[in-house]
Amino acid sequence: MSNQYQQYEKCLKVAAVNSPSLFIDLDVLDANVEKVRAATYGKDLRLVVKSLPCLDLLAYLSEQLECRRFMCFHTPFVLEVLDAFENADILMGKPLPSNSVEHIIKYLAQHEQLSKLAQIQWLIDSKQRLDQLLMLGRKYNVCFKIAIEIDVGMHRGGLGEPEQLQQLQAFVNQNKKHVKLTALMGYDAHVVKAPRPFMSVEKAFAQAEQRYQQFIDALQLNGEELIFNGGGSTTHAMHQQSCTNEISVGSIFLKPTDFDLAGLRQYQCACFIATQVLKRLKGISIPFVPDKYCQWTQKYKDTLFLYGGRWLAKAVYPNLMRNYLYGLSSNQQFMMVDSKQPIDVDDFVFFRPSQSEAVLLQFGDILLLRRKNDQVRLQHRWSIMSQHKAKPLPGRMQRQRNEDR
């Protein structure tokens, strides 16, 4: 494993990387893609944009998986995905405030693309949210596709009983000019957190599956084919024989530390933070604390100050330890190191993000590394998505990506 990080370091130094950076190992990413494909065979996939907030990364995965389905949670991301992917099918992963929905309508109308509204399925968790959409539908004379959120055991909102679904569907059928039911969405991330020995993961999933099926049975379909969306990075492999016909997947392609779970051991981490050592000091000294109390352990006897820090991430190479007395810093992170560890000023240290949805947005361009002829090389850079605004990006996805494969 240390050889892997040494190869990364050599690559970054050759590329003259000179500030904290996040990079993706494309070889590991490719392997994870194949494992997702095998684990979800026979189900449609939907890429979770918040966990993969980079249009080029989404395009890369979309091409490999032949997938044009996306799950969005954030207004600017909706607009960027619609602009970047001609045939994008977007399912909202959470209900949006009504003024956010209206903002999207106005934006599309302003750019003469109101027809793209048909590419969005809006998540509804209550009659109140449905009423809001219906009001906007009448105001702008449009029809909204809606997905209804159902509670399959996570208890984070959504319809709690199948009877509520029947009532909501009846109301939708009375207002077909402005709302149309196209999907159900039942998120089951709670399953893998079942508290053994009181409940096994397998039993928790079976209960969630049974509950989802009860909602499906309550529908009046009349020959209509709906999307039954479920799963997620933690449970996607459990859904091969489930009642869902579509699985949402995002973070597991990169596998941050939050996904170091027993059922996901076959996946490897594909993204890392790399930053350089600014200072190495002999011993450990903390203001107002006598030196004899500063020796955290017999092993960690020297001090490093890093370029940047305070990320949602865990140091993985070399073997470092955080000092809880000194605290964290976004500017110069204090870390303790074994006095025998041969790391010096300007050398790189590596962190694994704990999640992808927030951390990827903190570093500007993502660096793409790939092995060629037994050497790791910086191959390309991908820009992250905007959290605050969306502008038309004509022709963005027409770039050639042959060098990224």
Side-chain angles (χ1 to χ4, degrees), residues 123-383:
L123 193 66
I124 297 299
D125 67 330
S126 64
K127 176 66 160 49
Q128 179 185 9
R129 288 296 186 195
L130 182 56
D131 287 340
Q132 289 176 346
L133 276 191
L134 186 57
M135 181 184 69
L136 290 173
R138 290 167 177 162
K139 179 177 179 179
Y140 292 97
N141 193 29
V142 295
C143 182
F144 293 101
K145 293 180 177 178
I146 64 167
I148 297 178
E149 182 179 9
I150 58 175
D151 181 5
V152 296
M154 191 168 177
H155 305 327
R156 194 177 66 178
L159 304 188
E161 299 298 334
E163 292 76 16
Q164 293 175 293
L165 177 60
Q166 291 176 329
Q167 295 168 8
L168 216 56
Q169 185 183 21
F171 184 79
V172 169
N173 289 338
Q174 294 168 9
N175 295 275
K176 288 185 176 180
K177 182 178 179 181
H178 299 297
V179 286
K180 177 184 179 182
L181 178 62
T182 57
L184 299 184
M185 192 276 277
Y187 189 38
D188 57 11
H190 66 287
V191 164
V192 296
K193 298 180 181 179
R196 291 180 182 271
F198 306 105
M199 173 78 70
S200 69
V201 170
E202 293 76 17
K203 185 175 180 180
F205 179 76
Q207 289 182 354
E209 170 76 359
Q210 180 183 26
R211 193 154 172 74
Y212 206 130
Q213 187 63 58
Q214 290 171 350
F215 281 98
I216 293 175
D217 293 342
L219 288 168
Q220 298 294 323
L221 293 178
N222 300 320
E224 300 169 287
E225 292 186 6
L226 300 187
I227 292 171
F228 302 129
N229 176 275
S233 286
T234 59
T235 61
H236 67 280
M238 303 179 190
H239 279 268
Q240 286 189 341
Q241 305 299 323
S242 74
C243 61
T244 59
N245 55 24
E246 179 185 275
I247 309 300
S248 298
V249 190
S251 298
I252 197 56
F253 292 111
L254 302 177
K255 200 186 182 183
T257 61
D258 284 354
F259 295 83
D260 286 344
L261 303 171
L264 302 174
R265 289 194 183 114
Q266 69 271 35
Y267 295 95
Q268 295 182 29
C269 178
C271 71
F272 300 87
I273 297 167
T275 193
Q276 289 172 287
V277 176
L278 297 179
K279 308 165 187 174
R280 177 164 184 163
L281 307 180
K282 201 70 177 172
I284 298 171
S285 182
I286 301 174
F288 314 116
V289 180
D291 287 348
K292 66 180 180 179
Y293 297 118
C294 291
Q295 297 301 324
W296 204 257
T297 69
Q298 291 299 311
K299 183 175 183 181
Y300 299 96
K301 292 185 176 181
D302 284 357
T303 298
L304 300 182
F305 284 96
L306 309 181
Y307 191 161
R310 208 184 183 100
W311 302 295
L312 291 171
K314 175 184 177 182
V316 290
Y317 186 82
N319 191 7
L320 305 178
M321 179 177 274
R322 171 184 165 188
N323 190 296
Y324 288 87
L325 292 177
Y326 200 94
L328 298 173
S329 171
S330 301
N331 175 44
Q332 296 184 54
Q333 180 69 50
F334 180 119
M335 300 295 286
M336 299 179 296
V337 64
D338 188 334
S339 57
K340 297 179 180 179
Q341 178 69 45
I343 184 169
D344 205 349
V345 168
D346 293 348
D347 288 342
F348 280 91
V349 300
F350 297 91
F351 290 75
R352 280 186 62 193
S354 60
Q355 59 170 250
S356 57
E357 59 192 76
V359 179
L360 262 66
L361 297 169
Q362 294 180 284
F363 290 89
D365 287 351
I366 298 171
L367 309 183
L368 286 304
L369 274 55
R370 190 181 286 287
R371 289 168 183 81
K372 287 187 177 180
N373 301 323
D374 295 325
Q375 291 186 341
V376 177
R377 300 179 181 179
L378 175 61
Q379 189 161 21
H380 203 49
R381 297 172 185 260
W382 286 344
S383 299

Side-chain angles (χ1 to χ4, degrees), residues 4-171:
Q4 170 192 351
Y5 294 110
Q6 289 165 3
Q7 290 180 356
Y8 290 154
E9 177 170 45
K10 182 179 179 180
C11 169
L12 296 173
K13 285 187 173 181
V14 169
V17 173
N18 55 21
S19 61
S21 300
L22 186 139
F23 68 87
I24 291 176
D25 186 322
L26 285 172
D27 296 296
V28 178
L29 177 64
D30 289 347
N32 287 345
V33 168
E34 291 308 311
K35 290 169 185 173
V36 169
R37 193 198 310 273
T40 56
Y41 180 77
K43 301 277 187 177
D44 290 321
L45 292 180
R46 189 173 292 274
L47 298 175
V48 180
V49 175
K50 72 176 176 61
S51 303
L52 307 163
C54 167
L55 289 175
D56 291 301
L57 174 58
L58 290 169
Y60 186 84
L61 296 172
S62 175
E63 291 167 8
Q64 290 204 20
L65 294 165
E66 298 181 352
C67 172
R68 288 295 184 273
R69 300 184 184 206
F70 303 93
M71 178 173 282
C72 289
F73 293 75
H74 192 31
T75 303
F77 290 1
V78 172
L79 298 173
E80 287 200 57
V81 169
L82 282 176
D83 190 73
F85 298 92
E86 184 178 355
N87 299 315
D89 176 336
I90 294 176
L91 172 62
M92 297 306 301
K94 64 185 177 188
L96 287 184
S98 59
N99 60 350
S100 295
V101 178
E102 190 164 18
H103 172 78
I104 291 173
I105 295 171
K106 290 179 177 179
Y107 182 96
L108 294 176
Q110 179 184 353
H111 292 86
E112 299 181 350
Q113 295 179 330
L114 195 56
S115 61
K116 289 190 174 184
L117 205 62
Q119 295 174 234
I120 306 173
Q121 300 175 76
W122 305 87
L123 193 66
I124 297 299
D125 67 330
S126 64
K127 176 66 160 49
Q128 179 185 9
R129 288 296 186 195
L130 182 56
D131 287 340
Q132 289 176 346
L133 276 191
L134 186 57
M135 181 184 69
L136 290 173
R138 290 167 177 162
K139 179 177 179 179
Y140 292 97
N141 193 29
V142 295
C143 182
F144 293 101
K145 293 180 177 178
I146 64 167
I148 297 178
E149 182 179 9
I150 58 175
D151 181 5
V152 296
M154 191 168 177
H155 305 327
R156 194 177 66 178
L159 304 188
E161 299 298 334
E163 292 76 16
Q164 293 175 293
L165 177 60
Q166 291 176 329
Q167 295 168 8
L168 216 56
Q169 185 183 21
F171 184 79

